[in-house]
Amino acid sequence: MAFQDLLDQVGGLGRFQILQMVFLCISSLTVSPHILLENFTAAIPGHRCWVHILDNDTGSANDTGTLSQDALLRISIPLDSNLRPEKCRRFSHPQWQLLHLNGTFPNMRELDTEPCVDGWVYDRSTFSSTIVTEWDLVCDYQSLNSVAKFLLMSGMLFGSVIYNYLSDK
């Protein structure tokens, strides 16, 4: 017996079946924004280590007031291979000798660096807040961002299986 024959035998496609399909489609449409939203809520903005001499709100860090933000950044954060500030490391102590290099860069590996122990400063120009900025999911903790994605998808998988079973009861 074909499906069409079975459908004709039970009364055909009626108002109940059409309403059921419409409500099913509407409920399915509400799931996709949650999946797409994760692309924005888990975005990783530009960041660098929090440094006392740069990011302290009191004026005592730069008493002279003569050093610019760029100069303070240069003595506080080492440069990566692209000559940009490192995202996950900072100098253990300010490297004042780096102010007088005249464009030559010594071997940055010889200078004492440490991981970001006081947190990070994020670029909030694009995203004011993401789960990455709220929970500091950068550097050594960046893999936790994938765990959050995995948990979202696992919840959707198990939720659909469980509610599928419950809907048949």
Side-chain angles (χ1 to χ4, degrees), residues 53-125:
I53 198 168
L54 265 170
D55 304 309
N56 194 1
D57 289 334
T58 63
S60 63
N62 186 8
D63 288 335
T64 62
T66 58
L67 293 177
S68 67
Q69 286 287 96
D70 291 336
L72 290 172
L73 187 65
R74 187 173 184 186
I75 65 171
S76 303
I77 308 283
L79 299 177
D80 63 9
S81 60
N82 296 327
L83 300 179
R84 293 190 178 131
E86 281 275 348
K87 294 183 177 204
C88 299
R89 302 205 55 85
R90 68 178 187 183
F91 290 125
S92 301
H93 304 287
Q95 302 296 318
W96 298 104
Q97 73 274 13
L98 294 177
L99 290 176
H100 307 292
L101 287 178
N102 296 331
T104 60
F105 297 102
N107 186 359
M108 293 296 187
R109 303 285 178 223
E110 295 175 4
L111 302 174
D112 289 333
T113 61
E114 64 184 2
C116 303
V117 293
D118 296 322
W120 292 267
V121 175
Y122 297 99
D123 177 15
R124 298 190 185 268
S125 61

Side-chain angles (χ1 to χ4, degrees), residues 7 9 15 27-28 55 62 65 107 119 128 139 153 157 159 169:
L7 193 60
Q9 192 174 15
R15 184 171 21 140
S27 67
S28 296
D55 304 309
N62 186 8
N107 186 359
S128 61
C139 300
M153 292 298 168
L157 173 70
K169 291 291 173 182

Side-chain angles (χ1 to χ4, degrees), residues 34 36-44 127 129-133 145:
H34 290 292
L36 294 175
L37 184 67
E38 191 273 330
N39 290 326
F40 301 103
T41 60
I44 303 173
F127 298 103
S129 178
T130 67
I131 63 170
V132 173
T133 60
N145 194 1

